[in-house]
Amino acid sequence: MEYNPIALLEKGKIGTKSLPIPPDANINIYPDKYTYHKGEKGRVTIDVENGGVSIGFTSYFILIPEGVDYNGILDGLEPTGEVQLTDENNCWIVPEYGFVCGKGTLLVWQAVHLSGYKKQVVLSVTYNNVGSYRFEAGTSVVDGIVGWGDSSSDSFTVGVYV
């Protein structure tokens, strides 16, 4: 039998104080600076804070654009998976989040957890070519008991000069 707190509330079987806290997904990504020289290394920080679950499943990702090399993790958890997307129509399904499409290196993390999930990951990249590069990230959290979920996304763009 599926637990549906909204239906129970509508039937008067529970009060509003008995409702579970809805899941809340948050992700922020940012570089150590927004302008680089060709061939320069940089850092990208990912902050994930997902809450409002008693038993939860969290997934999050970052898409590092083509023309930027991923050098590895400087601080935090290693990704659960790494996928090379070779053209704009290339897509990958991030569990509970959905499709992620584009050219570049897709890093994905997944975790089952109690209560909230708060992690920071810092990764190293190298900017190989002059141009503008957009990084994209997203996260989702799903409550393992109620089945409710939430998702969030963020992005930033850096400029690379001679």
Side-chain angles (χ1 to χ4, degrees), residues 1 3 5 10 27 43-44 46 48 58 60 70 79 99 110 118 126 131 133 140 158-160:
M1 182 171 162
Y3 175 68
E10 289 172 347
I27 190 166
R43 293 175 180 227
V44 176
I46 306 166
V48 176
T58 285
Y60 54 104
Y70 165 60
F99 286 97
Q110 296 176 311
K118 184 176 182 177
T126 302
Y133 297 95
S140 65
V158 299
V160 179

Side-chain angles (χ1 to χ4, degrees), residues 27 46 48 50 56-62 73 76-83 92-98 100 106-114 116-119 121 138-142:
I27 190 166
I46 306 166
V48 176
N50 292 347
F57 174 76
T58 285
S59 62
Y60 54 104
F61 71 89
I62 186 165
I73 300 296
L77 299 172
E78 290 292 327
T80 308
E82 179 178 337
V83 179
W92 191 262
I93 298 174
V94 175
E96 304 302 335
Y97 186 86
V100 177
L106 178 66
L107 305 177
V108 179
W109 291 261
Q110 296 176 311
V112 174
H113 52 88
L114 298 174
Y117 182 88
K118 184 176 182 177
K119 299 289 180 197
V121 177
T139 186
S140 65
V141 61
V142 174

